[in-house]
Amino acid sequence: TVIFNAPVTSDDILDITTGSGEDEVITNDTATLDADNMTFTLGDGKNTVTFNENVTALGKFELNTGTGVDKLTTAKDAILKVTDEEGNGEIILTLGDGENTVTFNDVVTAGSGFDLTTGKNVDKLLTSDDAVLSVTTGHMKLDLGDGDNVVDFKNTVTIATDFEVITGSGSDTLATDEDATLKTKIISMTLGDGENTVTFNDSVSAEEKFEITTGVDKDIVLTNIGADLKAPTVTLSLSDGDNSVEFNDTVSATDSFELTTGEGKDTYLNTAAISGGQYTYKTGGGDDKLTFDATATFTSLTYTADVDGESFVLTADDQAGVGTNLNTINSSALNSNVVATELVFVAQPVPLVVSSGELEAFTTIPVVEAVDADGTRDTDFTLDVSLSEVLGAGSATLDVMPVDGDG
């Protein structure tokens, strides 16, 4: 156990290293830490770092832990600030496998970067109502390993450049509270396989783009009332599973809004106005349902089918609970029609080496498909496709048996 009961000041490096075991680093109420750089390296075991007074560094604050249950906590009135006059300064937290928890109860400021990397198990990044988190000139990256990870912001988060979240397999939860605006240049979230939930309860603003990519399983993206979303480009790429997207406040995507789904029953709901440039919906082939309960204004709309001949129906329904409730009506089915623009080999011939003068049967039959620009097969393609030997010395004779739809 390392306990600081008085202020510590260093013009160079404050470096603490421990071995395996239950390690504690504690600063008490009057024990400020002030150094150019700080490094804490704690071995395997149940490690605890608690700051009850301000911690200030100019260049770097770094915490590395081994396997075990690790906790980093800043108390109320314990500000963590890592930056110099030019806006440099990094907070780097690398936590090994185990149930790791990082809790900030007061202001946290980094200059050029905030990086949190965790191993396998349940990892948590929590901020309290008093914990404003900011990166003044750089990025924030949260790289959370396999497990049911939790990121919960209860106050404002402001990042100068990129906010990036990467998670492994597991049920991951990311949430912002009612007083936790999120503002940055780029928001990028890549969530691994599992039942992931992203919930915004206050405004989200990205100067360039907002994107979420999920793995296989049921994923939920939700904005509640008070959580308007603004970004020139909004991209949601949802993998296989019964995914749900629900916007309960305004969405502004001035350049483009793109929604891509995988196999499964995906639902999309807008209860507030949405507007922007190009709106693109690419279905993954499941039974998807898109609902707009408020005005949707876009310069153009694109629907991309997963298979040729796919159909969808438009449903019109008046607002429930207001005036006379009218019956829902459905449009006629709208069928997609894939038109081929090129031929592609989806199976190359095998073997690739044959003997001169000998009859050789392919062990893998070459297959050619007629597809459009997105690689979707045109099942109505009826023109003949011929295979012939070219670009080689000598000559060869091919016996071809055409198959409808492949050629």
Side-chain angles (χ1 to χ4, degrees):
T1 301
V2 179
I3 301 177
F4 295 95
N5 291 307
V8 175
T9 302
S10 173
D11 293 331
D12 194 6
I13 299 176
L14 175 62
D15 190 348
I16 296 177
T17 302
T18 69
S20 300
E22 295 188 8
D23 302 313
E24 288 184 288
V25 179
I26 302 172
T27 64
N28 287 326
D29 292 344
T30 59
T32 58
L33 297 184
D34 189 350
D36 283 358
N37 298 284
M38 297 183 192
T39 301
F40 300 86
T41 304
L42 310 180
D44 296 341
K46 185 179 179 181
N47 303 303
T48 302
V49 179
T50 305
F51 296 120
N52 291 295
E53 190 46 278
N54 293 343
V55 177
T56 306
L58 296 177
K60 180 175 65 176
F61 175 93
E62 185 171 4
L63 172 64
N64 303 298
T65 70
T67 301
V69 179
D70 303 313
K71 292 183 179 181
L72 168 64
T73 304
T74 63
K76 191 177 184 305
D77 300 324
I79 294 172
L80 175 60
K81 183 178 180 180
V82 186
T83 184
D84 61 14
E85 294 180 354
E86 286 75 36
N88 301 309
E90 294 181 288
I91 297 175
I92 303 173
L93 309 176
T94 305
L95 311 180
D97 294 344
E99 295 186 7
N100 306 301
T101 302
V102 177
T103 305
F104 296 121
N105 290 297
D106 213 313
V107 174
V108 176
T109 303
S112 54
F114 181 109
D115 292 274
L116 171 62
T117 303
T118 69
K120 297 177 180 179
N121 221 313
V122 178
D123 302 309
K124 296 179 181 180
L125 173 61
L126 311 174
T127 67
S128 73
D129 295 339
D130 298 309
V132 175
L133 198 159
S134 62
V135 183
T136 58
T137 64
H139 71 277
M140 175 183 285
K141 182 177 181 180
L142 309 179
D143 191 348
L144 310 179
D146 295 344
D148 298 340
N149 304 300
V150 176
V151 177
D152 189 3
F153 295 122
K154 293 191 179 300
N155 207 327
T156 301
V157 179
T158 304
I159 304 160
T161 58
D162 302 355
F163 176 51
E164 183 178 9
V165 179
I166 302 172
T167 70
S169 299
S171 297
D172 303 311
T173 301
L174 187 145
T176 63
D177 206 42
E178 292 178 356
D179 297 317
T181 59
L182 174 60
K183 184 177 181 180
T184 183
K185 183 175 290 185
I186 296 173
I187 297 174
S188 176
M189 302 181 187
T190 304
L191 310 179
D193 296 344
E195 295 186 5
N196 305 300
T197 302
V198 179
T199 306
F200 297 108
N201 289 294
D202 206 337
S203 297
V204 179
S205 175
E207 294 178 13
E208 293 184 6
K209 67 179 178 179
F210 174 96
E211 61 182 10
I212 296 179
T213 302
T214 70
V216 176
D217 217 323
K218 179 181 179 180
D219 302 305
I220 298 173
V221 179
L222 171 68
T223 66
N224 287 317
I225 296 175
D228 55 300
L229 171 62
K230 295 179 181 179
T233 301
V234 175
T235 304
L236 305 176
S237 300
L238 310 179
S239 294
D240 296 346
D242 297 341
N243 305 299
S244 173
V245 177
E246 183 175 332
F247 294 114
N248 292 300
D249 210 311
T250 58
V251 177
S252 175
T254 52
D255 292 340
S256 65
F257 184 105
E258 182 173 316
L259 172 65
T260 303
T261 66
E263 295 285 346
K265 294 182 179 180
D266 301 306
T267 60
Y268 174 92
L269 172 64
N270 267 103
T271 64
I274 181 170
S275 63
Q278 171 73 33
Y279 186 99
T280 302
Y281 169 54
K282 298 180 179 180
T283 175
D287 296 329
D288 297 342
K289 181 180 180 180
L290 275 69
T291 304
F292 295 91
D293 276 349
T295 303
T297 306
F298 290 93
T299 58
S300 59
L301 174 65
T302 300
Y303 169 83
T304 302
D306 183 63
V307 295
D308 196 5
E310 191 172 66
S311 66
F312 61 96
V313 174
L314 299 178
T315 298
D317 191 10
D318 66 323
Q319 184 177 356
V322 178
T324 303
N325 189 28
L326 304 178
N327 293 330
T328 299
I329 59 171
N330 294 331
S331 72
S332 301
L334 303 174
N335 298 306
S336 65
N337 181 33
V338 174
V339 179
T341 58
E342 62 180 337
L343 299 175
V344 296
F345 273 101
V346 294
Q348 295 286 349
V350 176
L352 297 179
V353 178
V354 295
S355 300
S356 176
E358 295 185 9
L359 180 63
E360 188 89 40
F362 288 130
T363 56
T364 297
I365 304 299
V367 177
V368 176
E369 288 186 352
V371 300
D372 66 4
D374 292 319
T376 304
R377 184 158 65 99
D378 183 356
T379 58
D380 300 323
F381 187 82
T382 58
L383 299 178
D384 292 335
V385 176
S386 61
L387 295 178
S388 60
E389 176 270 330
V390 295
L391 300 178
S395 61
T397 300
L398 296 176
D399 289 331
V400 179
M401 295 178 11
V403 178
D404 290 342
D406 289 331

